[in-house]
PDB file of all heavy atoms in Angstrom:
ATOM      1  N   SER H 153     -53.320 -64.906  -5.688  1.00  0.00           N
ATOM      2  CA  SER H 153     -54.456 -65.700  -6.004  1.00  0.00           C
ATOM      3  C   SER H 153     -54.688 -66.824  -5.066  1.00  0.00           C
ATOM      4  O   SER H 153     -55.742 -67.454  -4.958  1.00  0.00           O
ATOM      5  CB  SER H 153     -54.351 -66.278  -7.439  1.00  0.00           C
ATOM      6  OG  SER H 153     -53.247 -67.077  -7.490  1.00  0.00           O
ATOM      7  N   GLU H 154     -53.667 -67.165  -4.269  1.00  0.00           N
ATOM      8  CA  GLU H 154     -53.748 -68.209  -3.245  1.00  0.00           C
ATOM      9  C   GLU H 154     -52.780 -67.932  -2.136  1.00  0.00           C
ATOM     10  O   GLU H 154     -51.831 -67.157  -2.291  1.00  0.00           O
ATOM     11  CB  GLU H 154     -53.463 -69.607  -3.855  1.00  0.00           C
ATOM     12  CG  GLU H 154     -52.067 -69.701  -4.323  1.00  0.00           C
ATOM     13  CD  GLU H 154     -51.755 -71.070  -4.993  1.00  0.00           C
ATOM     14  OE1 GLU H 154     -52.364 -71.378  -6.027  1.00  0.00           O
ATOM     15  OE2 GLU H 154     -50.973 -71.811  -4.366  1.00  0.00           O
ATOM     16  N   ASP H 155     -53.083 -68.513  -0.963  1.00  0.00           N
ATOM     17  CA  ASP H 155     -52.214 -68.346   0.182  1.00  0.00           C
ATOM     18  C   ASP H 155     -51.271 -69.478   0.256  1.00  0.00           C
ATOM     19  O   ASP H 155     -51.661 -70.612   0.453  1.00  0.00           O
ATOM     20  CB  ASP H 155     -53.098 -68.288   1.478  1.00  0.00           C
ATOM     21  CG  ASP H 155     -52.224 -68.072   2.711  1.00  0.00           C
ATOM     22  OD1 ASP H 155     -51.093 -67.530   2.530  1.00  0.00           O
ATOM     23  OD2 ASP H 155     -52.664 -68.387   3.760  1.00  0.00           O
ATOM     24  N   ALA H 156     -50.005 -69.255   0.042  1.00  0.00           N
ATOM     25  CA  ALA H 156     -48.996 -70.250   0.063  1.00  0.00           C
ATOM     26  C   ALA H 156     -47.991 -69.955   1.168  1.00  0.00           C
ATOM     27  O   ALA H 156     -46.822 -70.390   1.141  1.00  0.00           O
ATOM     28  CB  ALA H 156     -48.287 -70.276  -1.257  1.00  0.00           C
ATOM     29  N   SER H 157     -48.441 -69.290   2.214  1.00  0.00           N
ATOM     30  CA  SER H 157     -47.547 -68.991   3.309  1.00  0.00           C
ATOM     31  C   SER H 157     -47.162 -70.229   4.151  1.00  0.00           C
ATOM     32  O   SER H 157     -46.157 -70.237   4.856  1.00  0.00           O
ATOM     33  CB  SER H 157     -48.220 -67.989   4.251  1.00  0.00           C
ATOM     34  OG  SER H 157     -49.392 -68.467   4.812  1.00  0.00           O
ATOM     35  N   TYR H 158     -47.927 -71.322   3.947  1.00  0.00           N
ATOM     36  CA  TYR H 158     -47.567 -72.569   4.647  1.00  0.00           C
ATOM     37  C   TYR H 158     -46.229 -73.097   4.152  1.00  0.00           C
ATOM     38  O   TYR H 158     -45.534 -73.844   4.879  1.00  0.00           O
ATOM     39  CB  TYR H 158     -48.611 -73.614   4.401  1.00  0.00           C
ATOM     40  CG  TYR H 158     -48.772 -74.025   2.981  1.00  0.00           C
ATOM     41  CD1 TYR H 158     -48.034 -75.066   2.457  1.00  0.00           C
ATOM     42  CD2 TYR H 158     -49.628 -73.383   2.084  1.00  0.00           C
ATOM     43  CE1 TYR H 158     -48.153 -75.485   1.132  1.00  0.00           C
ATOM     44  CE2 TYR H 158     -49.782 -73.760   0.791  1.00  0.00           C
ATOM     45  CZ  TYR H 158     -49.008 -74.779   0.333  1.00  0.00           C
ATOM     46  OH  TYR H 158     -49.129 -75.184  -1.019  1.00  0.00           O
ATOM     47  N   ILE H 159     -45.781 -72.698   2.989  1.00  0.00           N
ATOM     48  CA  ILE H 159     -44.449 -73.154   2.492  1.00  0.00           C
ATOM     49  C   ILE H 159     -43.375 -72.605   3.396  1.00  0.00           C
ATOM     50  O   ILE H 159     -42.374 -73.253   3.575  1.00  0.00           O
ATOM     51  CB  ILE H 159     -44.268 -72.649   1.049  1.00  0.00           C
ATOM     52  CG1 ILE H 159     -45.318 -73.351   0.126  1.00  0.00           C
ATOM     53  CG2 ILE H 159     -42.862 -72.917   0.512  1.00  0.00           C
ATOM     54  CD1 ILE H 159     -45.308 -72.803  -1.289  1.00  0.00           C
ATOM     55  N   LEU H 160     -43.569 -71.434   3.920  1.00  0.00           N
ATOM     56  CA  LEU H 160     -42.512 -70.788   4.756  1.00  0.00           C
ATOM     57  C   LEU H 160     -42.566 -71.171   6.206  1.00  0.00           C
ATOM     58  O   LEU H 160     -41.795 -70.728   7.038  1.00  0.00           O
ATOM     59  CB  LEU H 160     -42.684 -69.254   4.622  1.00  0.00           C
ATOM     60  CG  LEU H 160     -42.551 -68.703   3.220  1.00  0.00           C
ATOM     61  CD1 LEU H 160     -42.837 -67.193   3.276  1.00  0.00           C
ATOM     62  CD2 LEU H 160     -41.252 -69.007   2.630  1.00  0.00           C
ATOM     63  N   ASP H 161     -43.473 -72.109   6.587  1.00  0.00           N
ATOM     64  CA  ASP H 161     -43.581 -72.538   8.021  1.00  0.00           C
ATOM     65  C   ASP H 161     -42.410 -73.371   8.334  1.00  0.00           C
ATOM     66  O   ASP H 161     -42.220 -74.509   7.893  1.00  0.00           O
ATOM     67  CB  ASP H 161     -44.867 -73.317   8.171  1.00  0.00           C
ATOM     68  CG  ASP H 161     -45.135 -73.614   9.596  1.00  0.00           C
ATOM     69  OD1 ASP H 161     -44.405 -73.131  10.512  1.00  0.00           O
ATOM     70  OD2 ASP H 161     -46.087 -74.363   9.953  1.00  0.00           O
ATOM     71  N   SER H 162     -41.483 -72.822   9.169  1.00  0.00           N
ATOM     72  CA  SER H 162     -40.268 -73.549   9.520  1.00  0.00           C
ATOM     73  C   SER H 162     -40.486 -74.702  10.458  1.00  0.00           C
ATOM     74  O   SER H 162     -39.627 -75.559  10.567  1.00  0.00           O
ATOM     75  CB  SER H 162     -39.220 -72.542  10.113  1.00  0.00           C
ATOM     76  OG  SER H 162     -39.748 -72.005  11.270  1.00  0.00           O
ATOM     77  N   THR H 163     -41.597 -74.747  11.119  1.00  0.00           N
ATOM     78  CA  THR H 163     -41.890 -75.848  12.019  1.00  0.00           C
ATOM     79  C   THR H 163     -42.143 -77.179  11.253  1.00  0.00           C
ATOM     80  O   THR H 163     -42.026 -78.203  11.789  1.00  0.00           O
ATOM     81  CB  THR H 163     -43.094 -75.575  12.955  1.00  0.00           C
ATOM     82  OG1 THR H 163     -44.207 -75.328  12.111  1.00  0.00           O
ATOM     83  CG2 THR H 163     -42.820 -74.360  13.808  1.00  0.00           C
ATOM     84  N   LYS H 164     -42.524 -77.029   9.995  1.00  0.00           N
ATOM     85  CA  LYS H 164     -42.811 -78.225   9.226  1.00  0.00           C
ATOM     86  C   LYS H 164     -41.570 -78.729   8.446  1.00  0.00           C
ATOM     87  O   LYS H 164     -41.675 -79.725   7.738  1.00  0.00           O
ATOM     88  CB  LYS H 164     -43.931 -77.921   8.193  1.00  0.00           C
ATOM     89  CG  LYS H 164     -45.278 -77.626   8.916  1.00  0.00           C
ATOM     90  CD  LYS H 164     -46.296 -77.406   7.867  1.00  0.00           C
ATOM     91  CE  LYS H 164     -47.653 -77.167   8.593  1.00  0.00           C
ATOM     92  NZ  LYS H 164     -48.774 -76.893   7.676  1.00  0.00           N
ATOM     93  N   LEU H 165     -40.468 -78.064   8.623  1.00  0.00           N
ATOM     94  CA  LEU H 165     -39.255 -78.459   7.956  1.00  0.00           C
ATOM     95  C   LEU H 165     -38.640 -79.644   8.750  1.00  0.00           C
ATOM     96  O   LEU H 165     -38.727 -79.675   9.957  1.00  0.00           O
ATOM     97  CB  LEU H 165     -38.231 -77.334   7.897  1.00  0.00           C
ATOM     98  CG  LEU H 165     -38.580 -76.135   7.064  1.00  0.00           C
ATOM     99  CD1 LEU H 165     -37.552 -75.035   7.157  1.00  0.00           C
ATOM    100  CD2 LEU H 165     -38.798 -76.541   5.612  1.00  0.00           C
ATOM    101  N   SER H 166     -38.087 -80.527   8.050  1.00  0.00           N
ATOM    102  CA  SER H 166     -37.396 -81.677   8.728  1.00  0.00           C
ATOM    103  C   SER H 166     -35.949 -81.760   8.206  1.00  0.00           C
ATOM    104  O   SER H 166     -35.791 -81.779   6.968  1.00  0.00           O
ATOM    105  CB  SER H 166     -38.163 -82.957   8.503  1.00  0.00           C
ATOM    106  OG  SER H 166     -38.134 -83.297   7.132  1.00  0.00           O
ATOM    107  N   PHE H 167     -35.063 -81.818   9.126  1.00  0.00           N
ATOM    108  CA  PHE H 167     -33.677 -82.021   8.706  1.00  0.00           C
ATOM    109  C   PHE H 167     -33.142 -83.300   9.315  1.00  0.00           C
ATOM    110  O   PHE H 167     -33.436 -83.664  10.465  1.00  0.00           O
ATOM    111  CB  PHE H 167     -32.826 -80.849   9.252  1.00  0.00           C
ATOM    112  CG  PHE H 167     -33.201 -79.488   8.684  1.00  0.00           C
ATOM    113  CD1 PHE H 167     -33.998 -78.604   9.404  1.00  0.00           C
ATOM    114  CD2 PHE H 167     -32.802 -79.181   7.432  1.00  0.00           C
ATOM    115  CE1 PHE H 167     -34.385 -77.414   8.829  1.00  0.00           C
ATOM    116  CE2 PHE H 167     -33.143 -77.969   6.845  1.00  0.00           C
ATOM    117  CZ  PHE H 167     -33.927 -77.054   7.547  1.00  0.00           C
ATOM    118  N   PRO H 168     -32.367 -84.096   8.565  1.00  0.00           N
ATOM    119  CA  PRO H 168     -31.799 -85.250   9.151  1.00  0.00           C
ATOM    120  C   PRO H 168     -30.856 -84.992  10.266  1.00  0.00           C
ATOM    121  O   PRO H 168     -30.086 -84.092  10.219  1.00  0.00           O
ATOM    122  CB  PRO H 168     -31.101 -85.912   7.951  1.00  0.00           C
ATOM    123  CG  PRO H 168     -30.830 -84.815   7.051  1.00  0.00           C
ATOM    124  CD  PRO H 168     -31.937 -83.799   7.234  1.00  0.00           C
ATOM    125  N   ILE H 169     -30.946 -85.781  11.303  1.00  0.00           N
ATOM    126  CA  ILE H 169     -30.032 -85.656  12.487  1.00  0.00           C
ATOM    127  C   ILE H 169     -28.818 -86.503  12.226  1.00  0.00           C
ATOM    128  O   ILE H 169     -28.939 -87.685  12.036  1.00  0.00           O
ATOM    129  CB  ILE H 169     -30.752 -86.036  13.764  1.00  0.00           C
ATOM    130  CG1 ILE H 169     -31.951 -85.216  13.986  1.00  0.00           C
ATOM    131  CG2 ILE H 169     -29.749 -86.019  14.952  1.00  0.00           C
ATOM    132  CD1 ILE H 169     -32.813 -85.637  15.185  1.00  0.00           C
ATOM    133  N   THR H 170     -27.674 -85.863  12.196  1.00  0.00           N
ATOM    134  CA  THR H 170     -26.453 -86.587  11.901  1.00  0.00           C
ATOM    135  C   THR H 170     -25.753 -86.802  13.241  1.00  0.00           C
ATOM    136  O   THR H 170     -25.717 -85.949  14.124  1.00  0.00           O
ATOM    137  CB  THR H 170     -25.534 -85.775  10.981  1.00  0.00           C
ATOM    138  OG1 THR H 170     -25.295 -84.478  11.537  1.00  0.00           O
ATOM    139  CG2 THR H 170     -26.145 -85.582   9.627  1.00  0.00           C
ATOM    140  N   GLN H 171     -25.235 -88.040  13.374  1.00  0.00           N
ATOM    141  CA  GLN H 171     -24.440 -88.344  14.566  1.00  0.00           C
ATOM    142  C   GLN H 171     -23.027 -87.800  14.464  1.00  0.00           C
ATOM    143  O   GLN H 171     -22.390 -87.991  13.419  1.00  0.00           O
ATOM    144  CB  GLN H 171     -24.392 -89.869  14.721  1.00  0.00           C
ATOM    145  CG  GLN H 171     -25.723 -90.496  14.921  1.00  0.00           C
ATOM    146  CD  GLN H 171     -26.403 -90.058  16.256  1.00  0.00           C
ATOM    147  OE1 GLN H 171     -25.703 -89.713  17.226  1.00  0.00           O
ATOM    148  NE2 GLN H 171     -27.746 -90.007  16.282  1.00  0.00           N
ATOM    149  N   VAL H 172     -22.592 -87.093  15.461  1.00  0.00           N
ATOM    150  CA  VAL H 172     -21.280 -86.477  15.423  1.00  0.00           C
ATOM    151  C   VAL H 172     -20.369 -87.313  16.332  1.00  0.00           C
ATOM    152  O   VAL H 172     -20.679 -87.587  17.527  1.00  0.00           O
ATOM    153  CB  VAL H 172     -21.348 -85.020  15.982  1.00  0.00           C
ATOM    154  CG1 VAL H 172     -19.963 -84.432  16.051  1.00  0.00           C
ATOM    155  CG2 VAL H 172     -22.275 -84.220  15.136  1.00  0.00           C
ATOM    156  N   ASP H 173     -19.294 -87.757  15.732  1.00  0.00           N
ATOM    157  CA  ASP H 173     -18.330 -88.568  16.442  1.00  0.00           C
ATOM    158  C   ASP H 173     -17.515 -87.619  17.322  1.00  0.00           C
ATOM    159  O   ASP H 173     -16.785 -86.748  16.826  1.00  0.00           O
ATOM    160  CB  ASP H 173     -17.484 -89.348  15.501  1.00  0.00           C
ATOM    161  CG  ASP H 173     -16.592 -90.352  16.238  1.00  0.00           C
ATOM    162  OD1 ASP H 173     -16.790 -90.570  17.436  1.00  0.00           O
ATOM    163  OD2 ASP H 173     -15.686 -90.967  15.570  1.00  0.00           O
ATOM    164  N   ALA H 174     -17.512 -87.800  18.654  1.00  0.00           N
ATOM    165  CA  ALA H 174     -16.816 -86.903  19.565  1.00  0.00           C
ATOM    166  C   ALA H 174     -15.262 -86.972  19.325  1.00  0.00           C
ATOM    167  O   ALA H 174     -14.592 -86.019  19.519  1.00  0.00           O
ATOM    168  CB  ALA H 174     -17.134 -87.229  20.990  1.00  0.00           C
ATOM    169  N   ALA H 175     -14.828 -88.135  18.900  1.00  0.00           N
ATOM    170  CA  ALA H 175     -13.356 -88.322  18.694  1.00  0.00           C
ATOM    171  C   ALA H 175     -12.890 -87.395  17.532  1.00  0.00           C
ATOM    172  O   ALA H 175     -11.805 -86.946  17.449  1.00  0.00           O
ATOM    173  CB  ALA H 175     -13.016 -89.723  18.466  1.00  0.00           C
ATOM    174  N   LYS H 176     -13.780 -87.232  16.530  1.00  0.00           N
ATOM    175  CA  LYS H 176     -13.378 -86.478  15.343  1.00  0.00           C
ATOM    176  C   LYS H 176     -13.480 -84.965  15.636  1.00  0.00           C
ATOM    177  O   LYS H 176     -12.825 -84.209  14.910  1.00  0.00           O
ATOM    178  CB  LYS H 176     -14.336 -86.818  14.150  1.00  0.00           C
ATOM    179  CG  LYS H 176     -14.130 -88.200  13.686  1.00  0.00           C
ATOM    180  CD  LYS H 176     -15.010 -88.464  12.487  1.00  0.00           C
ATOM    181  CE  LYS H 176     -14.788 -89.873  11.948  1.00  0.00           C
ATOM    182  NZ  LYS H 176     -15.652 -90.191  10.829  1.00  0.00           N
ATOM    183  N   THR H 177     -14.233 -84.508  16.562  1.00  0.00           N
ATOM    184  CA  THR H 177     -14.391 -83.116  16.782  1.00  0.00           C
ATOM    185  C   THR H 177     -13.309 -82.565  17.714  1.00  0.00           C
ATOM    186  O   THR H 177     -13.206 -81.350  17.862  1.00  0.00           O
ATOM    187  CB  THR H 177     -15.785 -82.786  17.386  1.00  0.00           C
ATOM    188  OG1 THR H 177     -15.924 -83.514  18.558  1.00  0.00           O
ATOM    189  CG2 THR H 177     -16.887 -83.181  16.334  1.00  0.00           C
ATOM    190  N   GLY H 178     -12.632 -83.393  18.401  1.00  0.00           N
ATOM    191  CA  GLY H 178     -11.589 -82.961  19.337  1.00  0.00           C
ATOM    192  C   GLY H 178     -10.453 -82.256  18.596  1.00  0.00           C
ATOM    193  O   GLY H 178     -10.271 -82.425  17.369  1.00  0.00           O
ATOM    194  N   TYR H 179      -9.651 -81.535  19.354  1.00  0.00           N
ATOM    195  CA  TYR H 179      -8.505 -80.818  18.740  1.00  0.00           C
ATOM    196  C   TYR H 179      -7.417 -81.837  18.435  1.00  0.00           C
ATOM    197  O   TYR H 179      -7.076 -82.675  19.219  1.00  0.00           O
ATOM    198  CB  TYR H 179      -7.969 -79.724  19.692  1.00  0.00           C
ATOM    199  CG  TYR H 179      -6.690 -79.166  19.244  1.00  0.00           C
ATOM    200  CD1 TYR H 179      -6.662 -78.273  18.197  1.00  0.00           C
ATOM    201  CD2 TYR H 179      -5.479 -79.523  19.748  1.00  0.00           C
ATOM    202  CE1 TYR H 179      -5.486 -77.671  17.760  1.00  0.00           C
ATOM    203  CE2 TYR H 179      -4.271 -78.966  19.332  1.00  0.00           C
ATOM    204  CZ  TYR H 179      -4.283 -78.052  18.321  1.00  0.00           C
ATOM    205  OH  TYR H 179      -3.132 -77.501  17.897  1.00  0.00           O
ATOM    206  N   LYS H 180      -6.871 -81.685  17.207  1.00  0.00           N
ATOM    207  CA  LYS H 180      -5.765 -82.539  16.784  1.00  0.00           C
ATOM    208  C   LYS H 180      -4.721 -81.555  16.271  1.00  0.00           C
ATOM    209  O   LYS H 180      -4.912 -80.755  15.382  1.00  0.00           O
ATOM    210  CB  LYS H 180      -6.172 -83.484  15.714  1.00  0.00           C
ATOM    211  CG  LYS H 180      -7.163 -84.514  16.263  1.00  0.00           C
ATOM    212  CD  LYS H 180      -7.477 -85.578  15.287  1.00  0.00           C
ATOM    213  CE  LYS H 180      -8.424 -86.542  15.970  1.00  0.00           C
ATOM    214  NZ  LYS H 180      -8.919 -87.538  15.132  1.00  0.00           N
TER     215      LYS H 180
END
């Protein structure tokens, strides 16, 4: 009855950018 394909538009999704600490990602 309606076009809701805009819901699936992945370009409109927003994800928070998390800062990755390089010291934590190194091998220990």
